[in-house]
Amino acid sequence: MSHQALQTLGEFIIEKQDDFKYSTGELSRLISSIRIATKVVNREVNKAGIADIIGKVGTENIQGEEQQKLDVMANDIFIAALSQREVVCGIASEESDDFIEIKCTENAHLSKYVVLIDPLDGSSNIDVNVSVGTIFSIYRRVTSPGSPVELRDFLQKGVNQVAAGYVVYGSSTMIVYTTGNGVNGFTLDPSIGTYYLSHKNIKFPTSGKIYSINEGNYVKFPQGVKDYIKYCQEEEGDRPYTSRYIGSLVSDFHRNMLKGGIYIYPSTSQSPNGKLRLLYECNPMAFLAEQAGGKCSDGFRRIMEIEPTELHQRVPFFCGSAAMVTKAEEFMAKAVVKN
């Protein structure tokens, strides 16, 4: 298909601006800021093999994880892009201890939105040329515009999100996002630096044949997860399912949304609350999944109904095709009853 027949991301944002409940153009400008930042990050990711930007920095983030050079670079790029255009009053990043108040001009506090971001998900894979991504989540602030942003502006349930999305920097670079009216995907043409609508109104298959989980941790999993894995491996009906685990949430989620599947990062004996972050990873992916007809839970509760109590809160994560997540929840519930 020629470019003349394809809609650009910029055109799509303008066309859909009226979908926003509080449309002032501000949210459209915010998504455009993210779009610009992704192009810069994409450029850096794609030259990672020839530039001195792979490997560890030698510092740890708030979760005690070693930061990769590209983690820090991507974080700086997104913060700069979002700060300079006066479209947000605050940013919270997985790579930063605390939220960042944007006060570049006297008008910054008037902005209505806050952004929570995982600047480079799966960055430990960058050294071996495996796909990585960016995840973002956007909320309307709960404090009054004109006042400094506060922690409670960020500690909101996922149901309050006004937009969320991810970028996958892979064999092709894609941005996939929702504003609560379905999920659409845009692929970057690197020759001219433009995103084109390539995946319109994406829908999760109701069920699938892929399960994504780090089975190396099997002995540490809750009994319900162990039982579900055994179910996936049984020869019955359309099973056994295929195990596919990349270790990059964006890549695993993206594949499962297009092909049908379930992604599980459960609690373990070492990490009783799981490892993924509610605000930076689970809520935005849950919003996307539900908008695409999928389902997300912590094994028992809907992810987007969980009340956050801290910026870097972790939760177990079951996400994917609705029938598969429901089946996994049945195994979790049965295991609790048995105990």
Side-chain angles (χ1 to χ4, degrees):
M1 189 179 284
S2 68
H3 282 165
Q4 286 77 16
L6 293 173
Q7 189 175 28
T8 68
L9 175 55
E11 290 167 345
F12 185 87
I13 290 170
I14 292 167
E15 180 187 298
K16 300 297 181 183
Q17 191 167 299
D18 290 342
D19 287 351
F20 306 138
K21 189 177 174 184
Y22 308 96
S23 182
T24 59
E26 195 175 1
L27 186 56
S28 298
R29 293 201 310 276
L30 172 46
I31 293 170
S32 292
S33 297
I34 291 172
R35 173 189 59 175
I36 291 165
T38 68
K39 293 180 188 178
V40 181
V41 173
N42 180 66
R43 183 189 68 200
E44 300 303 325
V45 166
N46 282 325
K47 68 182 186 187
I50 54 174
D52 183 30
I53 52 176
I54 61 174
K56 301 178 178 66
V57 179
T59 57
E60 293 184 345
N61 64 15
I62 183 67
Q63 289 87 30
E65 299 163 337
E66 285 193 293
Q67 288 181 303
Q68 308 292 316
K69 291 177 184 176
L70 269 171
D71 279 324
V72 176
M73 185 178 292
N75 194 44
D76 291 345
I77 289 167
F78 276 102
I79 289 172
L82 291 166
S83 301
Q84 291 166 4
R85 305 186 91 200
E86 299 181 14
V87 289
V88 295
C89 57
I91 304 166
S93 166
E94 185 178 309
E95 297 302 323
S96 303
D97 295 7
D98 205 352
F99 66 86
I100 300 161
E101 181 185 346
I102 306 301
K103 42 188 176 185
C104 48
T105 72
E106 60 188 28
N107 295 320
H109 284 158
L110 296 174
S111 299
K112 301 185 190 76
Y113 299 100
V114 296
V115 174
L116 295 101
I117 194 158
D118 180 353
L120 206 64
D121 176 77
S123 57
S124 60
N125 283 322
I126 199 78
D127 292 8
V128 291
N129 211 15
V130 171
S131 295
V132 293
T134 294
I135 306 171
F136 62 89
S137 176
I138 302 171
Y139 294 82
R140 278 179 64 86
R141 65 185 300 177
V142 292
T143 52
S144 300
S147 62
V149 69
E150 297 177 21
L151 180 60
R152 61 193 174 109
D153 291 311
F154 299 93
L155 297 184
Q156 298 190 55
K157 287 183 179 180
V159 289
N160 293 343
Q161 290 173 102
V162 293
Y166 63 82
V167 186
V168 56
Y169 308 102
S171 52
S172 60
T173 295
M174 280 187 69
I175 183 167
V176 178
Y177 83 101
T178 183
T179 55
N181 291 285
V183 177
N184 292 280
F186 302 80
T187 300
L188 180 66
D189 180 342
S191 65
I192 54 176
T194 301
Y195 282 103
Y196 288 96
L197 178 60
S198 55
H199 294 66
K200 193 171 184 179
N201 197 24
I202 302 170
K203 291 294 181 188
F204 252 106
T206 307
S207 194
K209 295 197 69 173
I210 297 169
Y211 70 100
S212 308
I213 187 170
N214 183 358
E215 291 184 75
N217 289 326
Y218 181 87
V219 296
K220 304 173 188 172
F221 289 155
Q223 188 59 46
V225 174
K226 290 178 180 176
D227 294 341
Y228 179 70
I229 291 174
K230 286 177 189 169
Y231 167 84
C232 291
Q233 295 169 343
E234 288 172 357
E235 291 198 32
E236 187 178 326
D238 63 345
R239 289 170 284 135
Y241 296 153
T242 300
S243 176
R244 290 280 185 272
Y245 186 70
I246 300 168
S248 172
L249 172 59
V250 165
S251 300
D252 281 311
F253 178 94
H254 185 68
R255 181 201 51 236
N256 289 352
M257 182 163 66
L258 296 180
K259 296 195 170 185
I262 183 171
Y263 176 93
I264 303 175
Y265 206 120
S267 59
T268 65
S269 50
Q270 289 177 317
S271 303
N273 295 319
K275 199 172 176 190
L276 297 184
R277 288 73 176 174
L278 174 61
L279 295 176
Y280 307 106
E281 294 164 316
C282 302
N283 270 340
M285 289 311 203
F287 191 21
L288 285 158
E290 290 189 10
Q291 283 294 314
K295 186 175 182 180
C296 272
S297 79
D298 66 354
F300 303 96
R301 299 174 294 171
R302 182 185 177 202
I303 285 289
M304 292 208 296
E305 288 288 358
I306 296 173
E307 188 83 56
T309 55
E310 54 185 280
L311 271 181
H312 298 284
Q313 184 171 338
R314 301 172 190 258
V315 290
F317 193 55
F318 296 67
C319 184
S321 295
M324 298 180 82
V325 174
T326 298
K327 178 60 75 174
E329 288 174 332
E330 288 173 11
F331 280 100
M332 294 296 287
K334 281 180 196 169
V336 170
V337 171
K338 282 180 188 173
N339 289 337

